[in-house]
Amino acid sequence: MPEMQVRPVQQTPTVEGVPSHRADPLAARLAALDPAQGQATARARRDALERLQAMGLPRPRDEYWRYTDPAPFNAPAPAPVPMDDAPIDPPLFSDLDRLRLVFVDGRFDAGASDPLELTGVEILPLSQADLQPGHWIGESYGVLETVGQSPVRRPFAALNTAAATDGAVIRVTGRASRPVQLLYRRTRPDRDATLHHVLRLEPGAELTLIESGLAGARVNIVVEADIAPRARLHHIVAHRAGYPRVSNTHLFARVAEGGALKSFAMAVDGLHMRNEFVVELAGDDAVVHVAGAMLGDGAGGTIHDDDTVFLTHAGLRGESRQVFKKVLKNGAVGVFQGKILVRPGAQKTDGYQISQALLLDEDSQFLGKPELEIYADDVKCSHGSTTGALDETALFYLRSRGVPRERAVVLLVLSFLADALAEIEDDDLRERIAERLEDWLTARAEA
Amino acid sequence: MLEIKNLHVKLEDEDKQILKGVNLTVPAGQVHAIMGPNGSGKSTASYVLAGRDGYVVTDGTATLDGEDLLEMEPEQRAAAGLFLAFQYPVEIPGVGNMTFLRTAVNAQRKARGEDELSAGEFLKLVRQKAKALDIDADMLKRPVNVGFSGGEKKRNEILQMAMLEPRMCILDETDSGLDVDAMRLVADGVNALRSPERSFLVITHYQRLLDHIRPDVVHIMHDGRIVKSGGPELAIEVETNGYADILAEVGDA
């Protein structure tokens, strides 16, 4: 394999006394990382670095960064996030029968993880797969991320591919008997965590993947999921309360004929979050649902949560749903940028998109940007975006039955979130998450 | 039981007086009906008694067994024994009817210092009461009023009333949107709850409902006041001749 030429980092002449990163933020950003070189992934990493250098870091006036300030992600080092003495709420999945992979400070922790044995599933940490000559990761790593860079550039995903310290490499050949959980932990208050997971679901395979925990002071996670015909991936992200997360996550997926992707994210609070979903319904009859339920209370500090979705329909009869709900108070800000692109020939597409915000006061803000771009003539696409306050009539109805105001508000917030929660197929997981949201709302109402 | 004296109410957002001195006393065990043309203030009276926002009481009082209703939050009024069956019951997606009922029942019990019902006790009670109203298990499981027909919604209101066992029940045009069979079912539900300790205030446009729920007293409301009160025959007079004669008689037509 010929060595690829790495383009040197562009340097602006340094003014005397001023550190060079003032002049070149990307160079400074890269210098602060300790990027892995990789073996099997080395070529993809170099390629990603080159692409990143060509595109540069995002700027506030870039079309897809208008509503979310890229500065916290651009900064050479993350602002320290104090270590929690005790978690604010208990783990959500500790009694769930699942296979757990633990990542500490962005690196796989074999001692804390379960044995990586699951019928129908091959699992390796990226750091180990990378060392195996001829491992398929060499061919897959960064592929979907690269595809997902067009037409919208996603510099932090390229940065991730170039610099990821570890991740999970999962190949599913059958129906996984239990979920795989990626559990993130950290031991230091001021570290970046850059994780890159690659999933390959073979025809007819099925897996539930759960992500939870806080990986670092600033988190950059990429998931690449290649879903073969008739395979199904259920993806659940649960961000519990009390973590001041600064995170940029990307889910890149390609769904082949008859395959399905169901992704749901729960987020409670957070500091500066940007969650990107880039999914192609590549084959006919593919099904993709992405959903999120977010609760943000800015009483304790800034809350900013951005979901940015780009779904491409390329096959016939594709079905896509985007259901995003945010409940915002005390100055919390929610952003939704959702796009459905229907390629020429993707007839009988059924695309649906709804983004809704419930503003519990006048200080909070929701910014929604739905986009449809359709090049086929026999499709059904709909989008809706609403921003509103609590329904006073419903509130009165509940109170007139004797339900105290605080409790009535909790019920109405849960009612508002119900459509998003309904996107979780597994009853047990859905109930756990619904209960957790209710507990949190109740605790806040009583506080 | 319920005592309303010289009640004056205006809208919060605009300077519009809706109730202009309502006087009404409903003794324990009695059923009173309020009839009146559109816009006379009937529904406003029910909302003000139940504590809905958007209204300002400018004068007068309303008490339930001597307790000042107007000082209480809506949930306190409910715990004190007041119930309003809505003209348009509200749909609450994502909240199960059972969850809603149990939350309401136990919140009231708690507010009154009583023990909350266990899941088992509650289930037994709700099944028994639902059966009498021809409400099936599916309706109990579904989200509150979502996808319910007009008749199902009104039956669900009566089920809530039966579960909460209020002392003072206000029915705001419970007959609207009901067919004959549904109306009978609702009326049967209400009649089953009649007792010497429980009073009803039935707001309606039509005498028809009062065939099924026999009132002790009928009041005619017009332009924010009770202009005439009488026995059940007053409702028949309205049905036959409309409001014009009565209003002419009281000199306000």
Side-chain angles (χ1 to χ4, degrees):
Chain A
M1 197 181 300
E3 195 77 320
M4 286 193 65
Q5 188 68 42
V6 181
R7 188 185 306 174
V9 174
Q10 288 185 353
Q11 290 280 6
T12 328
T14 310
V15 180
E16 200 179 341
V18 178
S20 62
H21 63 75
R22 288 273 178 86
D24 190 336
L26 177 57
R29 181 76 166 84
L30 289 168
L33 289 172
D34 179 21
Q37 297 304 307
Q39 300 281 324
T41 61
R43 186 170 55 95
R45 288 172 185 272
R46 286 193 301 272
D47 175 61
L49 186 62
E50 234 179 287
R51 288 186 285 113
L52 173 62
Q53 283 163 346
M55 69 181 107
L57 291 170
R59 288 161 301 183
R61 62 178 179 274
D62 290 354
E63 176 63 23
Y64 284 90
W65 288 93
R66 282 190 183 172
Y67 308 122
T68 295
D69 184 1
F73 303 126
N74 285 344
V81 174
M83 303 298 296
D84 322 307
D85 293 320
I88 283 189
D89 60 351
L92 245 172
F93 306 111
S94 53
D95 60 339
L96 183 77
D97 183 22
R98 82 285 194 215
L99 189 149
R100 194 177 46 166
L101 274 78
V102 181
F103 294 89
V104 180
D105 296 327
R107 293 184 192 277
F108 178 67
D109 183 337
S113 302
D114 294 325
L116 304 183
E117 289 158 13
L118 188 58
T119 311
V121 185
E122 296 164 12
I123 308 173
L124 272 182
L126 175 64
S127 50
Q128 289 175 27
D130 205 10
L131 301 176
Q132 293 188 0
H135 193 282
W136 59 266
I137 191 66
E139 298 303 316
S140 296
Y141 186 81
V143 169
L144 294 179
E145 178 264 301
T146 307
V147 172
Q149 293 287 349
S150 171
V152 179
R153 293 185 300 185
R154 305 175 196 278
F156 295 113
L159 177 82
N160 180 300
T161 299
T165 47
D166 213 333
V169 175
I170 302 176
R171 178 169 169 258
V172 191
T173 54
R175 195 160 189 275
S177 56
R178 47 193 173 125
V180 170
Q181 180 186 13
L182 308 176
L183 179 56
Y184 307 126
R185 289 182 185 150
R186 66 198 182 116
T187 61
R188 308 174 63 149
D190 55 357
R191 283 300 184 93
D192 270 300
T194 311
L195 288 156
H196 192 117
H197 311 299
V198 181
L199 280 71
R200 195 165 126 184
L201 277 75
E202 302 294 350
E206 183 163 2
L207 176 75
T208 297
L209 182 76
I210 298 170
E211 292 183 77
S212 64
L214 184 63
R218 181 170 61 183
V219 176
N220 182 335
I221 293 175
V222 163
V223 176
E224 294 183 281
D226 200 354
I227 300 168
R230 304 177 315 284
R232 300 171 67 80
L233 174 63
H234 308 270
H235 178 230
I236 306 273
V237 181
H239 290 309
R240 294 190 288 137
Y243 292 135
R245 285 179 304 279
V246 176
S247 73
N248 185 197
T249 65
H250 292 81
L251 170 63
F252 294 97
R254 177 167 62 192
V255 184
E257 187 176 349
L261 166 68
K262 304 272 178 85
S263 178
F264 174 89
M266 171 193 105
V268 179
D269 288 347
L271 182 63
H272 198 71
M273 295 174 292
R274 160 87 156 208
N275 321 299
E276 300 189 36
F277 304 82
V278 187
V279 183
E280 183 181 5
L281 293 83
D284 297 343
D285 302 298
V287 174
V288 172
H289 294 192
V290 286
M294 183 262 178
L295 302 174
D297 182 347
T302 306
I303 304 285
H304 184 102
D305 183 58
D306 170 343
D307 289 302
T308 293
V309 184
F310 199 116
L311 297 187
T312 303
H313 281 263
L316 294 170
R317 297 175 300 275
E319 174 198 309
S320 70
R321 285 174 67 83
Q322 302 174 40
V323 183
F324 287 87
K325 306 260 188 167
K326 296 181 197 291
V327 182
L328 308 167
K329 70 191 270 195
N330 288 318
V333 177
V335 177
F336 174 77
Q337 307 183 91
K339 176 154 184 168
I340 304 173
L341 168 65
V342 180
R343 288 248 168 85
Q347 303 295 9
K348 305 286 182 193
T349 282
D350 183 356
Y352 172 79
Q353 178 194 96
I354 183 83
S355 63
Q356 294 181 302
L358 180 60
L359 304 183
L360 295 178
D361 56 34
E362 290 182 1
D363 301 330
S364 303
Q365 196 181 18
F366 178 66
L367 303 154
K369 192 177 74 169
E371 289 177 283
L372 298 179
E373 196 175 335
I374 302 173
Y375 296 102
D377 57 8
D378 185 13
V379 303
K380 194 168 82 181
C381 278
S382 62
H383 66 85
S385 185
T386 66
T387 304
L390 271 182
D391 180 346
E392 289 294 333
T393 306
L395 190 61
F396 171 60
Y397 187 62
L398 291 169
R399 295 178 73 192
S400 78
R401 288 343 181 211
V403 181
R405 190 180 195 286
E406 297 73 30
R407 181 72 193 147
V409 170
V410 170
L411 288 176
L412 291 178
V413 170
L414 290 171
S415 166
F416 171 77
L417 296 174
D419 288 348
L421 287 164
E423 294 295 330
I424 306 171
E425 262 184 38
D426 185 277
D427 292 339
D428 176 40
L429 290 173
R430 186 177 56 251
E431 277 159 29
R432 276 169 195 267
I433 288 173
E435 265 174 42
R436 175 52 55 87
L437 292 171
E438 181 170 355
D439 289 350
W440 185 84
L441 287 164
T442 305
R444 280 291 164 103
E446 285 165 0
Chain B
M1 175 76 69
L2 178 68
E3 196 155 12
I4 304 171
K5 283 184 186 160
N6 192 33
L7 190 63
H8 285 71
V9 171
K10 73 178 199 62
L11 292 180
E12 196 174 63
D13 292 342
E14 47 183 308
D15 197 21
K16 190 178 173 191
Q17 200 74 29
I18 310 286
L19 300 184
K20 302 172 179 173
V22 174
N23 289 291
L24 179 68
T25 302
V26 185
Q30 288 198 359
V31 175
H32 285 216
I34 298 185
M35 303 181 77
N38 290 325
S40 56
K42 304 186 299 292
S43 288
T44 296
S46 71
Y47 286 149
V48 169
L49 291 174
R52 186 173 186 156
D53 285 344
Y55 302 100
V56 180
V57 175
T58 53
D59 201 2
T61 59
T63 58
L64 184 65
D65 287 336
E67 284 187 90
D68 183 359
L69 283 175
L70 303 178
E71 281 298 304
M72 296 184 214
E73 296 294 334
E75 54 267 37
Q76 294 172 321
R77 301 178 198 208
L82 186 80
F83 181 90
L84 170 64
F86 279 47
Q87 183 180 358
Y88 304 108
V90 180
E91 296 186 6
I92 307 179
V95 177
N97 214 8
M98 285 281 232
T99 308
F100 164 58
L101 275 171
R102 196 171 160 210
T103 305
V105 167
N106 281 336
Q108 290 203 11
R109 293 182 72 96
K110 196 174 165 192
R112 291 194 292 257
E114 299 163 12
D115 284 342
E116 296 186 16
L117 290 183
S118 72
E121 289 166 331
F122 173 80
L123 201 63
K124 201 175 153 196
L125 197 62
V126 77
R127 278 189 182 145
Q128 177 202 328
K129 304 216 179 211
K131 201 175 167 204
L133 285 159
D134 201 18
I135 289 173
D136 60 24
D138 182 54
M139 252 176 86
L140 291 173
K141 268 189 236 153
R142 271 146 63 189
V144 181
N145 293 324
V146 177
F148 287 26
S149 70
E152 286 174 331
K153 283 182 182 172
K154 296 299 171 76
R155 265 146 59 200
N156 201 29
E157 292 292 284
I158 306 304
L159 174 65
Q160 292 164 33
M161 198 162 86
M163 289 299 296
L164 296 169
E165 299 183 328
R167 288 181 295 158
M168 180 70 228
C169 310
I170 304 171
L171 279 65
D172 185 13
E173 298 197 27
T174 295
D175 51 339
S176 69
L178 292 189
D179 61 33
V180 181
D181 293 336
M183 186 169 350
R184 178 172 294 277
L185 212 52
V186 164
D188 288 349
V190 171
N191 288 327
L193 290 169
R194 290 183 72 158
S195 87
E197 293 81 38
R198 184 171 290 132
S199 310
F200 291 83
L201 187 60
V202 180
I203 296 170
T204 182
H205 272 293
Y206 304 106
Q207 186 255 336
R208 213 168 41 159
L209 179 66
L210 304 179
D211 284 343
H212 299 293
I213 307 173
R214 294 288 295 168
D216 297 292
V217 181
V218 175
H219 306 276
I220 306 296
M221 195 164 188
H222 174 63
D223 194 24
R225 289 187 194 91
I226 305 274
V227 293
K228 187 170 184 180
S229 302
E233 71 284 351
L234 194 53
I236 296 167
E237 191 186 330
V238 167
E239 191 78 1
T240 318
N241 302 327
Y243 291 109
D245 288 358
I246 294 170
L247 298 183
E249 182 195 324
V250 300
D252 203 14

